[in-house]
Amino acid sequence: MRTSDVTVVGGGIGGLAAAAFLHRAGIQAVVYEQAAELTEIGAGLVLAPNAARLLRRLGLYERLAEVGVPLETGWQFRRWQDGRVLFEQPLGKECERLYGEATWVLHRAHLLDMLRSKVPDEAVRLGMRCTGAEQDGDGVTLGFADGSRAGADVVVAADGVHSTLRDHVTPSPPAHSFGVCAWRCLIPAEAAPELARHPVQTVWLGPGRHLVHYPVSAGTKINVVAFSPAAEDDVESWTSQGKPADLVTEFADWDPRVGELLSTATTVGRWAVLDRDPLRPWVKGRLALLGDAAHPMLPLFAQGAGQAIEDAAVLATCLADGREEPLECYERIRLDRAHKVQRVSRGRLQLNHLPDGPEQVARDAAFAGENPLRHNSWLYSYDAEEACR
């Protein structure tokens, strides 16, 4: 299979990461993005060591250190009523000692800019909405909304959870509702309570709801993500907006510090949280799925961006080293790992939202028995490029 000419559909984190790793490997890759400009809707994200080590190899560590916040503590679970700490994962120097990297939190737009800097300007085509694909033994031909067409040896579909190209590989999985919606907002750090300004990924757990906050943008903003019962008109769209007053009401009887934080929000996003079963296959002929197009997962385990970056590193390695079936090799290396993260993400929702009672008490007691940092060794120690060898 020729692999010298690769087209990536989608200019989000997964698509730009794929292009960055491909160019690093000496493979020409062009990114087609439907938006007229590259902007990442959303706010904060977490980059654990499994993703941070890959960004370092792209030469992005210095930029990460400028715009990100290295966490001193992660997964600090607090009880909804009084903020009592149920469990926390010390990170900082101990995380670096065990896994070779820190765990970072940063704004999605900053990560997008970092990855974009590793892709030549001429390799990014904006305002190009892909409408379909045709392939034969010689390559893939893409069609676009403006009537134009483009050919490639290999096409990488990194076009997100609502992927246009996924059905060319396998039927898109049906979406299942949990009856939950997500809220997202950014708050100026100077307006937030002191608790929220610490370099900590804090997760408040309560009946039917939970809330996460941590600093981003070099500590100048606080990222807040909250989950509560959905309304009938909630839709799965990151551009959908909610009302700040409604968000405050959802958590009105929680620890006063939660209310203090939420009361400073001026604009909030609100969308339905939908789940999809693990998908297979990811590859058909010369077309491969990547990121949310391949493994859409609930935003509960802070690994969506990290798994897309792992995909990108593995895909580039498989295409660059002359394997007979590079795309099948990519799928074989990545599929089980991504599916495991999907399953863990799914399990978090029920665990986080337990009503007060025996199950909640047992959950809180189980936290005390966890090894705070090593219980995620399977996740943090993973080296996507090493897994290709």
Side-chain angles (χ1 to χ4, degrees):
M1 175 188 288
R2 295 194 315 275
T3 61
S4 57
D5 180 16
V6 178
T7 290
V8 179
V9 177
I13 289 171
L16 287 179
F21 279 105
L22 287 164
H23 278 279
R24 187 191 67 159
I27 297 175
Q28 297 301 308
V30 177
V31 178
Y32 288 91
E33 164 57 39
Q34 66 178 346
E37 59 179 331
L38 286 177
T39 57
E40 181 66 33
I41 299 169
L45 55 80
V46 179
L47 286 178
N50 58 297
R53 66 174 53 91
L54 299 175
L55 293 185
R56 182 189 290 274
R57 292 173 190 162
L58 281 177
L60 292 173
Y61 179 79
E62 290 186 2
R63 180 60 176 154
L64 177 60
E66 290 175 359
V67 299
V69 176
L71 287 176
E72 292 181 2
T73 305
W75 299 118
Q76 183 189 73
F77 294 121
R78 289 179 175 265
R79 181 160 167 75
W80 68 281
Q81 284 178 314
D82 54 13
R84 176 165 52 90
V85 175
L86 306 172
F87 170 88
E88 60 184 1
Q89 184 179 71
L91 294 171
K93 295 298 183 183
E94 181 64 7
C95 183
E96 294 182 49
R97 185 185 69 81
L98 285 175
Y99 304 118
E101 299 288 347
T103 294
W104 298 83
V105 284
L106 69 159
H107 196 292
R108 287 178 176 268
H110 289 146
L111 177 58
L112 198 72
D113 288 344
M114 290 161 56
L115 294 169
R116 175 68 178 82
S117 72
K118 295 299 178 179
V119 181
D121 289 343
E122 64 273 15
V124 178
R125 317 279 172 83
L126 301 177
M128 300 292 291
R129 182 170 67 84
C130 183
T131 57
E134 299 173 358
Q135 63 173 309
D136 55 31
D138 294 326
V140 185
T141 301
L142 296 172
F144 296 91
D146 64 359
S148 63
R149 295 166 71 82
D153 295 336
V154 172
V155 169
V156 179
D159 51 345
V161 65
H162 299 296
S163 172
T164 297
L165 294 179
R166 183 165 49 216
D167 283 337
H168 291 274
V169 177
T170 190
S172 293
H176 310 289
S177 174
F178 281 113
V180 171
C181 73
W183 307 77
R184 185 183 294 274
C185 59
L186 281 170
I187 295 170
E190 63 269 19
E194 181 184 0
L195 175 70
R197 298 197 297 269
H198 297 166
V200 175
Q201 178 194 11
T202 300
V203 187
W204 297 77
L205 304 181
R209 292 164 173 78
H210 79 277
L211 180 142
V212 184
H213 58 75
Y214 48 79
V216 297
S217 301
T220 63
K221 299 182 185 300
I222 309 302
N223 181 65
V224 178
V225 185
F227 299 84
S228 68
E232 288 187 4
D233 58 348
D234 284 327
V235 296
E236 189 185 38
S237 170
W238 276 34
T239 62
S240 179
Q241 294 294 300
K243 297 178 180 179
D246 291 343
L247 174 58
V248 172
T249 299
E250 288 289 346
F251 295 86
D253 56 348
W254 285 41
D255 183 295
R257 290 170 291 184
V258 173
E260 183 184 353
L261 175 65
L262 297 182
S263 67
T264 62
T266 57
T267 303
V268 299
R270 172 175 175 161
W271 68 95
V273 175
L274 302 182
D275 185 33
R276 293 165 176 82
D277 292 333
L279 178 70
R280 68 175 70 221
W282 292 3
V283 170
K284 184 174 182 179
R286 295 172 175 268
L287 177 58
L289 306 178
L290 182 145
D292 284 347
H295 45 76
M297 61 184 67
L298 296 174
L300 301 172
F301 198 47
Q303 274 289 317
Q307 291 305 297
I309 293 169
E310 287 186 8
D311 288 349
V314 171
L315 178 73
T317 301
C318 290
L319 287 172
D321 66 4
R323 303 180 191 211
E324 285 190 15
E325 297 181 331
L327 297 184
E328 288 78 3
C329 181
Y330 155 72
E331 178 187 89
R332 186 167 59 251
I333 293 170
R334 290 297 305 150
L335 192 141
D336 286 346
R337 162 100 170 155
H339 283 181
K340 180 176 181 179
V341 176
Q342 278 184 285
R343 291 192 297 270
V344 173
S345 298
R346 176 183 288 178
R348 285 281 176 127
L349 187 63
Q350 182 178 4
L351 191 68
N352 287 356
H353 289 198
L354 288 175
D356 286 348
E359 286 187 283
Q360 164 260 320
V361 171
R363 176 201 66 193
D364 295 352
F367 284 148
E370 292 276 12
N371 183 308
L373 189 51
R374 292 183 184 273
H375 79 293
N376 274 336
S377 176
W378 68 273
L379 183 67
Y380 296 163
S381 64
Y382 185 83
D383 187 323
E385 292 181 320
E386 190 65 32
C388 299
R389 294 180 172 86

